[in-house]
Amino acid sequence: MGNDGFRVDLGALQQASQGVNDAIAALEDELPWPVKKLGNDGQGVAMMTLNAEESGSALVAEALRMFCGKWNYGVKFLVEEGAAAAAALTDTRTEYEKMEQGVIDAFKKIMGAGFDNPTADLNAAPQKSLAQFGVDIAPEGLTQQGVSQAFNQRGWNTRVES
């Protein structure tokens, strides 16, 4: 049984974070009170009660009042935890992006040290695209121009033109 390894879908992290924030925003749009503010304060749901005349029964009105009173804390928990989860997902995505960029920059420095000008500043290597390294590695002349043209046709903008 093969192991595909561990991977993180950065787009999925972004979508999940956005989905939680969108759900909180949708809830805020549907209710007559600001969810984030009152929800974080543990208030708001109790405002949604009806009186006996509106509900048609004093018993129903009392049951709704009790239910809404208890759900003040439920809304507070859902809003706070939802916002915290969305922030954590965003932070996780940001950290993975930083790590990924660090690995790419380190690889480019290795490429620069191994294939580029050995006296060149290795700190400048991360500024080059991988496609540009491919062009630089190719023998100068027509071969390098051909590699550059192939990359340019794919939209990777290398500096050698034919």
Side-chain angles (χ1 to χ4, degrees), residues 48-149:
M48 298 174 64
T49 60
L50 302 172
N51 61 34
E53 185 178 304
E54 293 169 327
S55 67
S57 164
L59 184 61
V60 170
E62 179 60 19
L64 181 59
R65 185 191 65 74
M66 289 176 61
F67 175 82
C68 289
K70 290 180 181 179
W71 265 98
N72 276 332
Y73 301 105
V75 169
K76 176 181 172 52
F77 176 78
L78 291 173
V79 171
E80 286 178 347
E81 293 302 311
L89 288 167
T90 298
D91 291 347
T92 300
R93 179 174 190 238
T94 300
E95 288 303 313
Y96 272 106
E97 287 173 331
K98 285 179 189 175
M99 287 188 290
E100 184 176 84
Q101 190 59 51
V103 168
I104 291 170
D105 290 350
F107 179 72
K108 287 179 178 180
K109 285 182 181 182
I110 291 168
M111 293 286 291
F115 298 105
D116 213 356
N117 179 354
T119 62
D121 178 17
L122 291 181
N123 291 325
Q127 308 310 315
K128 290 174 100 173
S129 70
L130 291 175
Q132 188 62 53
F133 277 111
V135 170
D136 292 347
I137 290 168
E140 288 188 22
L142 293 177
T143 305
Q144 192 176 49
Q145 289 176 353
V147 170
S148 178
Q149 185 177 9

Side-chain angles (χ1 to χ4, degrees), residues 3 6 18 36 45 85 107 134 158 161:
N3 182 357
F6 178 77
Q18 189 62 50
K36 286 181 183 172
V45 177
F107 179 72
T158 58
E161 298 293 328

Side-chain angles (χ1 to χ4, degrees), residues 9-21 89-90 93 97:
D9 185 343
L10 297 178
L13 287 175
Q14 175 63 30
Q15 288 176 337
S17 175
Q18 189 62 50
V20 172
N21 286 326
L89 288 167
T90 298
R93 179 174 190 238
E97 287 173 331

